[in-house]
Amino acid sequence: MALLKVLLLLGLGVSVNSAVSLQKRIIGGHDCADTERQYHVRLEGSNGTHMSLCGGSLIHPNWILTTDTCWKSETGWINVAKIDVHQGPGRWRAFRLRNNPVVYNPEGWRHDIMLLKIKKVANAPLGQLPDCSYRLKIGDTVQLAGEGATTTGPNNEQISNFAPATHLQCVDMPVVEASHFLPTYGRVFSAKARNKDVCYGDAGSAAVFNGKIYGVISPGVPRYACESAASIVDVCEYMEWIRARTGLK
């Protein structure tokens, strides 16, 4: 599955040798309020020459929820989680990720959702998991977020070589397709809005509804911005697994 995703990204014109690879950004959004998403985690990978950028959510003092694409397993890469991103440079807490990720793969292939275990974090806000007695339907509005640039290239082409934005970006998008099965990704729903999009690097960040994390942004994106709906992993489909792994009730 990992190889398939790399091939898909290469086919979309993404340079995996860029200064910041596999990056996404929020297009058509706005600065998240400082009181929002304080559980947001920046996930960075580096091999000394290249870097990768993703998002995640601290859902337990020991656990981050993200997408499986956000783990760099190649020799020489170091994975780091930055907590308290809202506090700004020099104030966040960085944790080197040494434990292997936990990925959902009951059928023998990896779904696009992952848990990262970290050293216990004290005094950090935690994201709330969904109330799955209510399932998202078409027309519901979810809030997505990310840390990349907010512009596109010529002909609205997505750009990959941008450092993280100075402030977390948020964007509201309505659900246009309810939960369904997508091969190689798992159970997902889709959101789309005119002149709004997520792109390389927002993968792993939360899709929020009524203040709760109902989804995790999936990394697959088209070459041009604002053309296709964003695919979002449906967290409700994986709650039994998340609770079993983390001990959350």
Side-chain angles (χ1 to χ4, degrees), residues 18 31 46 60 78 86 95 100 107 113 128 132 213 222 229 244 248:
S18 62
D31 286 356
S46 174
H60 179 283
I78 295 173
H86 266 309
F95 296 81
N100 289 328
E107 301 94 352
I113 190 168
Q128 295 185 53
C132 295
I213 300 172
L248 286 166

Side-chain angles (χ1 to χ4, degrees), residues 45-50 72-79 96:
S46 174
N47 65 358
T49 303
H50 306 119
K72 303 296 290 185
S73 59
E74 295 89 342
T75 301
W77 281 82
I78 295 173
N79 296 281
R96 181 171 176 179

Side-chain angles (χ1 to χ4, degrees), residues 5 13 16-17 46 52 66 68 82 87 94 107 120 122 129 134 148 154 162 166 169 179 188 190 222 233 237 240 249:
K5 289 180 182 177
V16 295
N17 293 320
S46 174
S52 65
T66 184
D68 88 310
K82 291 184 175 179
Q87 300 299 320
E107 301 94 352
K120 187 174 182 178
L129 293 173
Y134 181 84
F162 279 97
T166 56
Q169 296 290 296
S179 186
V188 302
S190 303
V233 180
E237 293 287 341
E240 183 176 346
K249 302 299 183 182

Side-chain angles (χ1 to χ4, degrees), residues 23-218:
Q23 183 178 348
K24 291 186 180 183
R25 67 204 176 283
I26 293 293
I27 296 171
H30 57 274
D31 286 356
C32 300
D34 290 341
T35 55
E36 292 181 301
R37 294 178 174 262
Q38 293 186 1
Y39 54 81
H40 179 80
V41 178
R42 181 185 299 171
L43 297 172
E44 296 179 351
S46 174
N47 65 358
T49 303
H50 306 119
M51 295 185 66
S52 65
L53 173 69
C54 273
S57 300
L58 190 70
I59 59 170
H60 179 283
N62 287 116
W63 291 97
I64 295 168
L65 177 67
T66 184
T67 175
D68 88 310
T69 310
C70 293
W71 178 261
K72 303 296 290 185
S73 59
E74 295 89 342
T75 301
W77 281 82
I78 295 173
N79 296 281
V80 174
K82 291 184 175 179
I83 313 297
D84 298 327
V85 172
H86 266 309
Q87 300 299 320
R91 300 183 64 185
W92 55 52
R93 291 174 279 178
F95 296 81
R96 181 171 176 179
L97 300 171
R98 300 181 183 274
N99 295 300
N100 289 328
V102 180
V103 180
Y104 186 83
N105 60 347
E107 301 94 352
W109 54 271
R110 297 159 67 99
H111 290 225
D112 207 11
I113 190 168
M114 176 174 69
L115 290 164
L116 295 173
K117 190 170 186 179
I118 62 174
K119 180 180 177 181
K120 187 174 182 178
V121 180
N123 303 317
L126 303 178
Q128 295 185 53
L129 293 173
D131 174 4
C132 295
S133 63
Y134 181 84
R135 300 301 299 270
L136 294 178
K137 62 183 185 298
I138 293 173
D140 286 336
T141 297
V142 292
Q143 184 197 66
L144 310 181
E147 291 190 89
T150 58
T151 58
T152 58
N155 301 315
N156 212 32
E157 188 168 358
Q158 297 189 25
I159 306 171
S160 61
N161 299 333
F162 279 97
T166 56
H167 199 290
L168 186 67
Q169 296 290 296
C170 284
V171 66
D172 293 333
M173 298 174 68
V175 174
V176 295
E177 190 172 13
S179 186
H180 61 284
F181 178 76
L182 184 63
T184 76
Y185 289 91
R187 300 291 302 188
V188 302
F189 62 90
S190 303
K192 182 177 174 61
R194 184 178 180 182
N195 298 325
K196 299 179 181 180
D197 206 353
V198 295
C199 313
Y200 310 109
D202 293 330
S205 298
V208 173
F209 178 78
N210 281 348
K212 295 179 173 61
I213 300 172
Y214 271 79
V216 177
I217 299 173
S218 188

